Amino acid sequence: REEKQLELTLEALISQVADLKNSLVSFIYKLENEYDRLAWPSVLDSFALLSGQLNTLNKVLKHEKTPLLRNQVIIPLVLSPDRDEEIMRQTEGRVPVFSHEVVPDHLRTKPDPEVEEQEKQLITDAARISPDVAQKQIQSLNKMCSNLLEKISKEERESESGGLRQNKQTFNPADTNALVAAVAFGKGLSNRRPPGSGGSVQSGQAGAGAIIASASGMQQVPMSGAPAQQQPMLAGVQIAQAGQPGKMPSGIKTNIKSASMHPYQR
């Protein structure tokens, strides 16, 4: 009965290992030949398949009906330096002969001597520690992990708050649009002039026509020290005479004084 159960277990393990090997071969083929068009979801699917097969293999090994394989001993019955075709077929060409050279590697049930020595040293050091010292070390490790997690959480919160501050709007779009419209197009500005404004005004821009029109209802005041040659007047505004040789037309010059009485009153 035990031999039958062992055979069934070995068949199940061989089947699971064969499926795992096929999945690994397929994944390695994708990485080596389809790397230029390989998508990340396909890689994740391959990893998920391998993880599921490994979990199934572990379940078979941990099953209650599975015998303890560590209690089984494998002894080679025939060792030969000659080429063995059956072994070649079962190992897919990896092991051509089953000789004294390859048996220690393929039938080894323990790790390398160096690794085994390090494992024994760790077990010895762990056995020397008393329960109280071990409990203190566990508490210290837990404290260090808690502090590290707290620092990581604090940095994440600070980075999130910094991102929110950077994305926060620091101006009012309506006020900005109103200011731009007022500066560029004069929207919302008052056309009323303050009372009692006067003096000498000089302007060389195209808006002089508006000044001339507004000055038509004001009284002309002659300038002191004016030349004998009179220049043409337009609605009380003295215009620089153009066309003189060697001289460029000067800008518009006005001399406007606030009228204290109606211009047509006698």
Side-chain angles (χ1 to χ4, degrees):
R1 181 178 179 181
E2 292 180 358
E3 292 180 357
K4 185 66 174 178
Q5 189 174 2
L6 181 60
E7 290 179 0
L8 294 176
T9 301
L10 290 176
E11 290 179 359
L13 290 176
I14 291 172
S15 176
Q16 295 296 329
V17 171
D19 293 340
L20 181 60
K21 184 194 69 172
N22 294 332
S23 300
L24 285 172
V25 170
S26 177
F27 184 49
I28 293 174
Y29 179 83
K30 287 182 180 179
L31 293 177
E32 292 180 349
N33 299 280
E34 300 178 2
Y35 60 90
D36 53 345
R37 59 181 183 277
L38 188 62
W40 182 243
S42 177
V43 177
L44 293 179
D45 293 341
S46 299
F47 274 115
L49 179 60
L50 294 173
S51 177
Q53 290 175 348
L54 287 174
N55 290 332
T56 305
L57 182 61
N58 289 329
K59 288 180 181 179
V60 173
L61 292 174
K62 295 179 181 179
H63 197 270
E64 58 182 6
K65 294 184 179 181
T66 301
L68 294 177
L69 299 178
R70 69 182 61 181
N71 296 332
Q72 304 295 327
V73 180
I74 300 176
I75 299 175
L77 299 178
V78 178
L79 296 177
S80 174
D82 300 332
R83 182 184 179 91
D84 194 337
E85 297 296 335
E86 182 64 20
I87 294 178
M88 284 281 292
R89 185 184 62 82
Q90 292 182 359
T91 59
E92 297 180 354
R94 291 188 297 270
V95 182
V97 295
F98 200 63
S99 62
H100 296 79
E101 183 179 359
V102 300
V103 164
D105 294 331
H106 290 282
L107 299 184
R108 178 183 295 174
T109 57
K110 292 183 178 181
D112 293 336
E114 294 82 2
V115 177
E116 189 176 4
E117 188 67 26
Q118 292 179 3
E119 186 178 358
K120 289 181 180 180
Q121 185 66 31
L122 292 175
I123 294 173
T124 304
D125 294 342
R128 293 175 182 174
I129 300 176
S130 62
D132 296 337
V133 176
Q135 188 65 28
K136 290 181 180 179
Q137 291 182 358
I138 292 173
Q139 292 177 358
S140 176
L141 180 61
N142 291 334
K143 185 177 180 180
M144 291 174 60
C145 294
S146 300
N147 293 334
L148 182 60
L149 291 174
E150 185 178 356
K151 289 182 180 180
I152 294 174
S153 301
K154 183 178 179 181
E155 290 180 358
E156 290 180 352
R157 290 194 299 267
E158 290 179 354
S159 62
E160 291 178 358
S161 60
L164 292 176
R165 286 195 299 267
Q166 290 179 359
N167 296 330
K168 186 177 179 181
Q169 194 171 8
T170 57
F171 64 94
N172 190 351
D175 295 343
T176 303
N177 295 332
L179 181 60
V180 172
V183 173
F185 308 107
K187 184 178 179 181
L189 299 180
S190 176
N191 294 328
R192 186 175 54 187
R193 293 179 179 273
S197 61
S200 177
V201 181
Q202 294 184 0
S203 175
Q205 301 180 359
I211 300 177
I212 296 173
S214 62
S216 60
M218 298 182 182
Q219 185 178 6
Q220 178 185 0
V221 178
M223 297 176 59
S224 59
Q229 184 180 1
Q230 298 293 330
Q231 298 187 2
M233 302 292 178
L234 178 58
V237 182
Q238 184 178 3
I239 307 299
Q241 189 174 4
Q244 296 180 0
K247 293 184 179 181
M248 294 297 293
S250 62
I252 300 174
K253 296 182 180 179
T254 59
N255 191 353
I256 303 172
K257 186 176 182 180
S258 177
S260 59
M261 57 188 301
H262 198 276
Y264 297 103
Q265 184 178 358
R266 293 183 181 179

